[in-house]
Amino acid sequence: MRHSLIVIAIAFCLGSANWAQIASADGADQSAAVEFAQEAVPRALNYDQGKRESLTDAQQDFTPDGWREFMKWLTGYVDDKGAPTGSSLFTATGD
């Protein structure tokens, strides 16, 4: 259930320098937005216990505000150094 909430949060928070342009573009460019999300969501939700870099490698996919919001969702699931206190593996069940 926690992953469902995180996926929803990611849908609102993900971004890059080009995200606004991609999201408002025509059908061809919308496929680029879908591809971005299909790569970014697993990157954000796949991390290893005790390995901060396994979590922060997804930071580039977020806007600064989105990253702060995402990290708020993980409050209680990261230690005082920002490393995950557990592991997570996200596997999409379809497109």
Side-chain angles (χ1 to χ4, degrees), residues 7-75:
V7 170
I8 292 168
I10 289 171
F12 289 108
C13 298
L14 277 175
S16 70
N18 299 323
W19 180 251
Q21 293 171 342
I22 292 170
S24 65
D26 64 22
D29 288 335
Q30 286 181 0
S31 66
V34 170
E35 183 178 332
F36 170 79
Q38 288 174 329
E39 293 173 5
V41 170
R43 197 168 24 247
L45 296 180
N46 293 337
Y47 49 83
D48 299 316
Q49 181 177 359
K51 295 182 180 177
R52 185 176 184 275
E53 65 280 355
S54 71
L55 180 61
T56 59
D57 65 351
Q59 187 171 357
Q60 73 221 16
D61 296 325
F62 288 80
T63 63
D65 289 339
W67 182 252
R68 281 189 291 277
E69 188 65 29
F70 178 63
M71 292 309 293
K72 283 182 192 177
W73 280 79
L74 292 178
T75 299

